[in-house]
Amino acid sequence: TQLLEQSPQFLSIQEGENLTVYCNSSSVFSSLQWYRQEPGEGPVLLVTVVTGGEVKKLKRLTFQFGDARKDSSLHITAAQPGDTGLYLCAGAAMGAQKLVFGQGTRLTINP
Amino acid sequence: DAGITQSPRHKVTETGTPVTLRCHQTENHRYMYWYRQDPGHGLRLIHYSYGVKDTDKGEVSDGYSVSRSKTEDFLLTLESATSSQTSVYFCAIRNVGPGSYNEQFFGPGTRLTVL
Protein backbone atom coordinates (compact mmCIF):
# COMPACT_ATOMS: atom_id res chain seq x y z
CA THR A 1 0.00 0.00 0.00
CA GLN A 2 1.38 3.38 -0.96
CA LEU A 3 1.40 6.03 1.74
CA LEU A 4 2.18 9.71 1.75
CA GLU A 5 3.20 11.29 5.03
CA GLN A 6 2.82 15.05 5.34
CA SER A 7 4.53 17.15 7.94
CA PRO A 8 3.81 19.16 9.88
CA GLN A 9 0.09 18.45 10.30
CA PHE A 10 -0.51 21.90 11.79
CA LEU A 11 1.48 25.10 11.35
CA SER A 12 0.68 28.55 12.66
CA ILE A 13 3.05 31.40 11.84
CA GLN A 14 3.13 35.16 11.55
CA GLU A 15 2.63 37.06 8.33
CA GLY A 16 5.91 37.58 6.52
CA GLU A 17 7.62 34.41 7.74
CA ASN A 18 8.76 31.58 5.48
CA LEU A 19 7.66 27.96 5.81
CA THR A 20 8.13 24.54 4.28
CA VAL A 21 5.70 21.63 4.16
CA TYR A 22 6.97 18.13 3.42
CA CYS A 23 5.37 15.15 1.71
CA ASN A 24 7.29 11.87 2.03
CA SER A 25 6.86 8.30 0.91
CA SER A 26 8.84 5.10 0.50
CA SER A 27 7.13 4.58 -2.86
CA VAL A 28 7.96 6.05 -6.24
CA PHE A 29 5.32 8.20 -7.91
CA SER A 30 5.04 9.08 -11.57
CA SER A 31 3.47 12.41 -10.67
CA LEU A 32 2.71 14.37 -7.55
CA GLN A 33 0.20 17.14 -7.04
CA TRP A 34 -0.38 19.80 -4.42
CA TYR A 35 -3.88 21.02 -3.62
CA ARG A 36 -5.16 23.80 -1.40
CA GLN A 37 -8.50 23.64 0.31
CA GLU A 38 -10.42 26.42 2.03
CA PRO A 39 -13.21 25.85 4.58
CA GLY A 40 -16.45 24.68 3.01
CA GLU A 41 -14.92 24.08 -0.42
CA GLY A 42 -13.32 21.28 -2.36
CA PRO A 43 -9.56 21.01 -2.89
CA VAL A 44 -8.15 23.10 -5.72
CA LEU A 45 -5.16 21.96 -7.74
CA LEU A 46 -2.08 24.17 -7.35
CA VAL A 47 0.60 22.30 -9.27
CA THR A 48 1.70 18.96 -10.71
CA VAL A 49 5.34 17.82 -10.72
CA VAL A 50 6.42 14.87 -12.81
CA THR A 51 10.22 14.87 -13.21
CA GLY A 52 12.69 13.96 -10.46
CA GLY A 53 14.34 17.16 -9.17
CA GLU A 54 11.74 19.38 -10.82
CA VAL A 55 11.09 22.78 -9.28
CA LYS A 56 7.99 24.82 -10.05
CA LYS A 57 7.16 28.28 -8.81
CA LEU A 58 3.75 29.83 -8.37
CA LYS A 59 4.28 33.41 -7.17
CA ARG A 60 5.57 33.01 -3.57
CA LEU A 61 5.08 29.22 -3.58
CA THR A 62 7.90 26.91 -4.65
CA PHE A 63 7.25 23.20 -5.23
CA GLN A 64 10.01 20.61 -5.53
CA PHE A 65 9.86 16.94 -6.51
CA GLY A 66 12.59 14.78 -5.02
CA ASP A 67 15.25 13.31 -7.29
CA ALA A 68 13.97 9.78 -6.64
CA ARG A 69 10.32 10.88 -7.06
CA LYS A 70 9.45 9.68 -3.56
CA ASP A 71 9.02 13.02 -1.85
CA SER A 72 8.06 16.63 -2.40
CA SER A 73 8.12 19.94 -0.61
CA LEU A 74 6.15 23.15 -0.69
CA HIS A 75 7.95 26.32 0.38
CA ILE A 76 6.09 29.59 0.93
CA THR A 77 8.07 32.82 1.09
CA ALA A 78 6.76 35.80 3.05
CA ALA A 79 3.50 34.10 3.97
CA GLN A 80 0.30 36.13 3.75
CA PRO A 81 -3.03 35.61 5.57
CA GLY A 82 -4.50 34.61 2.22
CA ASP A 83 -2.24 31.55 2.24
CA THR A 84 -4.23 30.13 5.14
CA GLY A 85 -5.79 26.78 4.31
CA LEU A 86 -5.39 23.03 4.19
CA TYR A 87 -2.60 21.89 1.88
CA LEU A 88 -2.75 18.35 0.51
CA CYS A 89 -0.21 16.43 -1.48
CA ALA A 90 -1.30 13.53 -3.69
CA GLY A 91 0.68 11.05 -5.73
CA ALA A 92 -0.03 8.71 -8.59
CA ALA A 93 1.94 5.58 -9.41
CA MET A 94 2.68 4.78 -13.03
CA GLY A 95 -0.49 3.57 -14.74
CA ALA A 96 -2.61 4.05 -11.64
CA GLN A 97 -6.19 5.22 -11.88
CA LYS A 98 -6.19 6.49 -8.31
CA LEU A 99 -4.38 9.12 -6.28
CA VAL A 100 -2.88 8.58 -2.85
CA PHE A 101 -3.40 11.59 -0.57
CA GLY A 102 -1.39 12.77 2.39
CA GLN A 103 -3.21 13.66 5.61
CA GLY A 104 -2.88 17.35 4.93
CA THR A 105 -1.17 20.34 6.56
CA ARG A 106 -3.42 22.92 8.11
CA LEU A 107 -1.67 26.26 7.74
CA THR A 108 -2.68 29.43 9.58
CA ILE A 109 -1.02 32.75 8.82
CA ASN A 110 -1.63 35.32 11.51
CA PRO A 111 -1.71 39.04 10.59
CA ASP B 1 -14.20 25.24 -13.10
CA ALA B 2 -14.65 21.57 -14.03
CA GLY B 3 -18.44 21.80 -14.06
CA ILE B 4 -18.99 19.53 -11.07
CA THR B 5 -21.99 19.87 -8.79
CA GLN B 6 -22.96 17.83 -5.78
CA SER B 7 -26.37 17.45 -4.19
CA PRO B 8 -27.45 17.83 -1.56
CA ARG B 9 -24.83 20.15 -0.07
CA HIS B 10 -25.94 19.39 3.47
CA LYS B 11 -27.93 16.50 4.89
CA VAL B 12 -28.87 15.34 8.36
CA THR B 13 -30.27 11.84 8.63
CA GLU B 14 -30.87 9.16 11.21
CA THR B 15 -29.01 5.91 11.77
CA GLY B 16 -30.37 3.10 9.65
CA THR B 17 -31.86 5.22 6.88
CA PRO B 18 -30.67 5.01 3.26
CA VAL B 19 -28.95 8.04 1.79
CA THR B 20 -27.97 8.83 -1.80
CA LEU B 21 -25.56 11.57 -2.77
CA ARG B 22 -25.35 12.76 -6.36
CA CYS B 23 -22.41 14.04 -8.35
CA HIS B 24 -23.09 15.65 -11.69
CA GLN B 25 -20.53 16.74 -14.29
CA THR B 26 -21.06 18.58 -17.53
CA GLU B 27 -17.80 17.91 -19.40
CA ASN B 28 -18.09 14.24 -20.34
CA HIS B 29 -15.20 13.04 -18.15
CA ARG B 30 -14.73 9.29 -18.08
CA TYR B 31 -13.28 8.99 -14.58
CA MET B 32 -15.22 10.00 -11.47
CA TYR B 33 -14.37 9.48 -7.81
CA TRP B 34 -16.04 9.60 -4.41
CA TYR B 35 -13.96 10.52 -1.34
CA ARG B 36 -14.70 11.16 2.28
CA GLN B 37 -12.77 13.67 4.33
CA ASP B 38 -12.36 13.40 8.08
CA PRO B 39 -10.02 15.27 10.44
CA GLY B 40 -6.54 13.73 10.47
CA HIS B 41 -7.25 11.45 7.50
CA GLY B 42 -6.98 13.68 4.47
CA LEU B 43 -9.07 12.34 1.60
CA ARG B 44 -9.92 8.66 1.48
CA LEU B 45 -11.23 7.02 -1.66
CA ILE B 46 -14.58 5.24 -1.35
CA HIS B 47 -15.33 4.14 -4.93
CA TYR B 48 -14.47 5.29 -8.39
CA SER B 49 -15.79 4.84 -11.90
CA TYR B 50 -13.91 4.52 -15.17
CA GLY B 51 -16.95 4.55 -17.42
CA VAL B 52 -20.69 3.97 -17.55
CA LYS B 53 -21.48 0.93 -15.39
CA ASP B 54 -17.74 0.44 -14.68
CA THR B 55 -16.86 0.96 -11.04
CA ASP B 56 -14.30 -0.25 -8.53
CA LYS B 57 -13.72 -0.10 -4.80
CA GLY B 58 -11.44 2.27 -2.96
CA GLU B 59 -9.83 1.92 0.45
CA VAL B 60 -12.97 2.61 2.53
CA SER B 61 -15.78 1.06 0.49
CA ASP B 62 -17.54 -0.95 3.23
CA GLY B 63 -21.09 0.33 3.77
CA TYR B 64 -21.17 2.22 0.48
CA SER B 65 -22.33 1.40 -3.04
CA VAL B 66 -22.20 3.40 -6.25
CA SER B 67 -23.90 3.51 -9.60
CA ARG B 68 -23.16 5.19 -12.88
CA SER B 69 -25.88 4.70 -15.45
CA LYS B 70 -24.85 7.70 -17.55
CA THR B 71 -21.60 9.59 -18.03
CA GLU B 72 -22.63 12.75 -16.24
CA ASP B 73 -23.95 11.24 -12.99
CA PHE B 74 -22.17 9.23 -10.29
CA LEU B 75 -24.30 8.27 -7.30
CA LEU B 76 -23.05 7.25 -3.87
CA THR B 77 -25.46 5.29 -1.66
CA LEU B 78 -25.27 4.53 2.01
CA GLU B 79 -27.65 1.59 2.28
CA SER B 80 -28.11 1.97 6.04
CA ALA B 81 -26.35 5.03 7.41
CA THR B 82 -24.28 4.78 10.57
CA SER B 83 -22.80 7.50 12.78
CA SER B 84 -19.31 6.54 11.56
CA GLN B 85 -20.36 7.73 8.10
CA THR B 86 -20.77 11.29 9.32
CA SER B 87 -18.28 13.10 7.13
CA VAL B 88 -17.78 15.49 4.26
CA TYR B 89 -18.06 13.74 0.92
CA PHE B 90 -16.31 15.00 -2.20
CA CYS B 91 -16.77 13.98 -5.79
CA ALA B 92 -13.95 14.45 -8.28
CA ILE B 93 -13.27 13.99 -11.96
CA ARG B 94 -9.95 13.12 -13.47
CA ASN B 95 -8.37 14.79 -16.44
CA VAL B 96 -7.07 12.41 -19.08
CA GLY B 97 -5.44 12.96 -22.40
CA PRO B 98 -2.22 14.56 -23.64
CA GLY B 99 -0.41 16.65 -21.06
CA SER B 100 -2.44 15.43 -18.10
CA TYR B 101 -0.94 13.61 -15.14
CA ASN B 102 -3.79 12.24 -13.06
CA GLU B 103 -4.96 15.67 -11.98
CA GLN B 104 -8.32 15.58 -10.26
CA PHE B 105 -10.88 18.36 -9.92
CA PHE B 106 -13.27 18.42 -7.05
CA GLY B 107 -16.86 19.34 -6.43
CA PRO B 108 -17.92 21.58 -3.54
CA GLY B 109 -18.68 18.69 -1.16
CA THR B 110 -21.65 17.34 0.77
CA ARG B 111 -21.69 17.55 4.55
CA LEU B 112 -23.52 14.50 5.91
CA THR B 113 -24.48 14.10 9.55
CA VAL B 114 -25.87 10.78 10.77
CA LEU B 115 -27.58 11.05 14.15
Side-chain angles (χ1 to χ4, degrees):
Chain A
T1 303
Q2 293 182 307
L3 292 173
L4 274 170
E5 297 285 339
Q6 273 187 251
S7 61
Q9 287 194 46
F10 299 93
L11 184 58
S12 179
I13 63 172
Q14 294 301 118
E15 181 177 357
E17 294 182 357
N18 302 331
L19 67 107
T20 302
V21 176
Y22 299 93
C23 181
N24 295 304
S25 177
S26 58
S27 303
V28 175
F29 293 99
S30 64
S31 67
L32 195 139
Q33 288 125 39
W34 286 91
Y35 294 82
R36 189 175 106 186
Q37 184 179 16
E38 300 194 20
E41 300 180 6
V44 175
L45 179 68
L46 294 175
V47 76
T48 299
V49 285
V50 298
T51 305
E54 182 176 4
V55 177
K56 282 192 173 179
K57 294 192 174 185
L58 190 65
K59 296 183 181 179
R60 294 175 292 98
L61 278 60
T62 301
F63 304 86
Q64 185 161 9
F65 203 11
D67 291 341
R69 291 184 291 140
K70 292 182 179 182
D71 53 84
S72 181
S73 63
L74 157 60
H75 182 80
I76 301 179
T77 303
Q80 303 293 312
D83 296 326
T84 293
L86 179 67
Y87 289 81
L88 295 158
C89 64
M94 182 68 70
Q97 296 180 333
K98 301 176 283 188
L99 289 176
V100 175
F101 280 86
Q103 317 97 304
T105 295
R106 189 163 298 281
L107 176 62
T108 302
I109 309 300
N110 303 300
Chain B
D1 184 359
I4 306 169
T5 57
Q6 293 185 230
S7 58
R9 293 293 314 278
H10 302 271
K11 186 168 182 68
V12 179
T13 192
E14 294 188 351
T15 297
T17 59
V19 177
T20 296
L21 309 184
R22 179 183 183 235
C23 178
H24 179 77
Q25 54 125 341
T26 59
E27 299 184 356
N28 210 34
H29 293 286
R30 179 181 167 197
Y31 289 87
M32 298 183 75
Y33 301 80
W34 275 109
Y35 293 91
R36 61 177 289 174
Q37 186 174 41
D38 305 287
H41 290 278
L43 286 163
R44 293 184 291 175
L45 182 65
I46 305 171
H47 282 279
Y48 69 101
S49 170
Y50 46 96
V52 173
K53 297 187 180 178
D54 291 323
T55 65
D56 205 351
K57 295 179 180 180
E59 61 181 305
V60 290
S61 60
D62 287 350
Y64 301 95
S65 62
V66 289
S67 65
R68 193 163 177 206
S69 59
K70 45 186 179 177
T71 300
E72 58 266 36
D73 289 325
F74 191 30
L75 304 180
L76 176 71
T77 297
L78 290 65
E79 301 290 347
S80 178
T82 68
S83 58
S84 65
Q85 294 176 310
T86 292
S87 186
V88 182
Y89 291 85
F90 288 100
C91 173
I93 60 91
R94 174 185 154 202
N95 230 4
V96 296
S100 61
Y101 295 96
N102 268 300
E103 291 91 348
Q104 292 187 13
F105 298 88
F106 289 81
T110 294
R111 182 172 294 276
L112 177 67
T113 301
V114 183
L115 301 175

